[in-house]
Amino acid sequence: MFDAIAPRYDLLNHVLSAGLDRRWRDRAIEALALPPGTRVLDVCTGTGDLAIAATRLVAPVSVVGIDFSGEMLRRARTKVADASLTSAISLVRADATRIPLPNASCGAATIGFGIRNVAEPERALLELARVLRPGARLAILEFGAPRLPGVRTLYSWYFRYLLPLVGRAVSKHSSAYSYLPASVGHFPPPAEFSRIIERSGFTNVRAIPLTFGIVYLYVAERSAIP
């Protein structure tokens, strides 16, 4: 599915979020408070937008982006090359639950709208805890539900009906953008997901609502290794 929608993925991200996706990614990078020289791991990197944002907002840093979709990574490599960032960003095809990096080898990590697509999210979080150094920050962006009643009703209609319709028309994929609201509906609410992050080896977990709670930014720190 992700290979199939890769050609229109960036366009749909920008259109369906009214351009807010760029700001959400910037907020995630800002929350990491990255010192220059940090090695950042970007899990479920997709077409590389979050990895590129890290190098744009904090210089110099190095980023390792992993994803299981070969076509997404092919497009990410093109974008990284076009931005002259091949020396700063490495892209690897890999499973989020089996990250091919040594223990305590990264100073920060990000996941942008990908954790709900991982079959075993807790295993992915445990892997992130393994590869992060003690005190390293994790930033996760994921969809949520607006808290204001009127906004919640309007957004629910948009998310369940209009978004899949536009997604199908542009991506030419019959089910991918119906999968999106379905997967969001099955994802744990912020308080529960925060507890899952904490159980996976992280402390100081915060769930920050963005744009009325349409998106949540989860920020946490890798706990000290005994």
Side-chain angles (χ1 to χ4, degrees):
M1 181 181 74
F2 286 98
D3 283 348
I5 65 174
R8 299 287 189 275
Y9 185 74
D10 288 343
L11 172 63
L12 280 166
N13 279 350
H14 302 329
V15 169
L16 294 173
S17 71
L20 289 170
D21 59 312
R22 296 181 177 92
R23 179 57 186 153
W24 295 332
R25 284 190 290 271
D26 287 354
R27 284 288 303 273
I29 298 303
E30 290 164 2
L32 293 174
L34 296 170
T38 301
R39 188 189 199 195
V40 182
L41 171 63
D42 184 33
V43 175
C44 304
T45 195
T47 61
D49 277 345
L50 197 49
I52 291 170
T55 62
R56 176 171 54 83
L57 294 172
V58 185
V61 297
S62 62
V63 183
V64 178
I66 70 167
D67 203 282
F68 62 12
S69 168
E71 186 61 22
M72 288 284 191
L73 286 175
R74 189 182 75 80
R75 293 183 176 274
R77 290 190 180 99
T78 299
K79 288 164 65 174
V80 167
D82 289 346
S84 301
L85 291 171
T86 52
S87 62
I89 300 175
S90 302
L91 297 167
V92 180
R93 191 172 187 182
D95 185 342
T97 64
R98 296 176 179 84
I99 297 171
L101 292 175
N103 294 352
S105 59
C106 297
T110 56
I111 309 179
F113 306 103
I115 190 65
R116 76 181 186 286
N117 299 318
V118 178
E120 299 174 276
E122 291 190 54
R123 282 189 61 185
L125 289 166
L126 288 169
E127 273 290 88
L128 283 162
R130 180 185 65 80
V131 302
L132 286 173
R133 294 194 294 270
R137 285 191 175 184
L138 168 67
I140 299 176
L141 288 167
E142 197 48 84
F143 290 108
R147 296 174 297 175
L148 295 175
V151 176
R152 187 185 185 99
T153 301
L154 180 62
Y155 180 71
S156 178
W157 173 83
Y158 167 77
F159 206 56
R160 291 178 180 275
Y161 300 106
L162 185 58
L163 183 147
L165 184 66
V166 174
R168 280 195 300 271
V170 176
S171 70
K172 310 302 181 185
H173 195 282
S174 61
S175 61
Y177 287 86
S178 296
Y179 162 81
L180 173 58
S183 65
V184 172
H186 286 94
F187 193 73
E192 181 182 346
F193 187 57
S194 295
R195 288 191 292 270
I196 293 171
I197 296 172
E198 190 169 21
R199 289 199 304 267
S200 302
F202 293 89
T203 60
N204 300 323
V205 181
R206 293 179 291 148
I208 305 165
L210 305 179
T211 317
F212 304 107
I214 288 171
V215 165
Y216 274 80
L217 169 60
Y218 299 89
V219 182
E221 294 179 8
R222 174 65 172 99
S223 59
I225 298 174

